[in-house]
Amino acid sequence: GVQTCALPISLRLLSGKYSMEIPNLMTGSPLYALYGSLRDGMGNHPRFAAGMEHLETIRITGFRMFALRYYPYVVVSDDPSDSIVVEIVRLKDAETERSMVEFEASVGYELHRFSVNGRDVFIFIFKTAGAHPRVTGGDWVEFKRGKPA
């Protein structure tokens, strides 16, 4: 299974914009699991593409995906049949990481760390699921291909 733990990240509102303080996250080149609008070919990917190196696209267990209107969210799941498709990327610099975390936090995501094949990986999650449609199959790119724009 996948183990998650919240990281000590503080969020404060500063002149109408979210500002993140990320203590000691940039240790080496951090790995992130991207599953929604940040995946290659999705709407927010170009915003951060220059600062990311794609390592692999894999399916991981321990998360359940739900659809908001334009992007998904995942919650931690104890059901072994729950899985999602993620792109594992390495962030190239602290500015890309700060911008990405700030961007995701501004719409309610929380940053969690878990392990994939012995590597620490960060993922953006919601703490609890709302009354939103489930993304069966856990692949946002495939889900969006089946929907009108």
Side-chain angles (χ1 to χ4, degrees):
V2 177
Q3 305 244 332
T4 62
C5 62
L7 294 173
I9 295 179
S10 60
L11 180 65
R12 66 185 192 282
L13 210 52
L14 197 61
S15 61
K17 281 185 65 180
Y18 283 98
S19 175
M20 296 294 297
E21 293 177 14
I22 310 171
N24 303 320
L25 283 192
M26 243 0 239
T27 52
S29 299
L31 301 180
Y32 277 76
L34 308 179
Y35 56 83
S37 70
L38 297 177
R39 281 182 64 186
D40 192 14
M42 297 287 98
N44 288 315
H45 183 264
R47 182 185 298 240
F48 304 104
M52 298 188 302
E53 173 193 359
H54 180 271
L55 301 180
E56 61 183 338
T57 300
I58 59 173
R59 180 173 289 279
I60 59 173
T61 59
F63 297 96
R64 181 177 293 167
M65 186 180 291
F66 296 89
L68 297 172
R69 183 162 185 187
Y70 298 112
Y71 52 88
Y73 66 91
V74 299
V75 296
V76 175
S77 170
D78 291 330
D79 185 335
S81 67
D82 285 336
S83 66
I84 62 172
V85 173
V86 298
E87 292 176 7
I88 303 295
V89 300
R90 182 183 315 280
L91 299 187
K92 298 176 180 178
D93 57 78
E95 179 56 27
T96 298
E97 184 172 36
R98 186 200 59 75
S99 297
M100 184 183 292
V101 171
E102 186 175 87
F103 176 75
E104 294 290 279
S106 73
V107 292
Y109 290 98
E110 296 191 8
L111 187 60
H112 283 251
R113 178 171 40 203
F114 68 107
S115 181
V116 176
N117 300 327
R119 298 175 297 181
D120 277 348
V121 179
F122 297 103
I123 189 169
F124 297 102
I125 70 168
F126 277 17
K127 276 202 166 168
T128 56
H132 303 107
R134 176 103 182 260
V135 177
T136 53
D139 187 335
W140 183 249
V141 173
E142 286 298 315
F143 180 79
K144 289 301 283 180
R145 279 192 188 127
K147 300 275 182 200

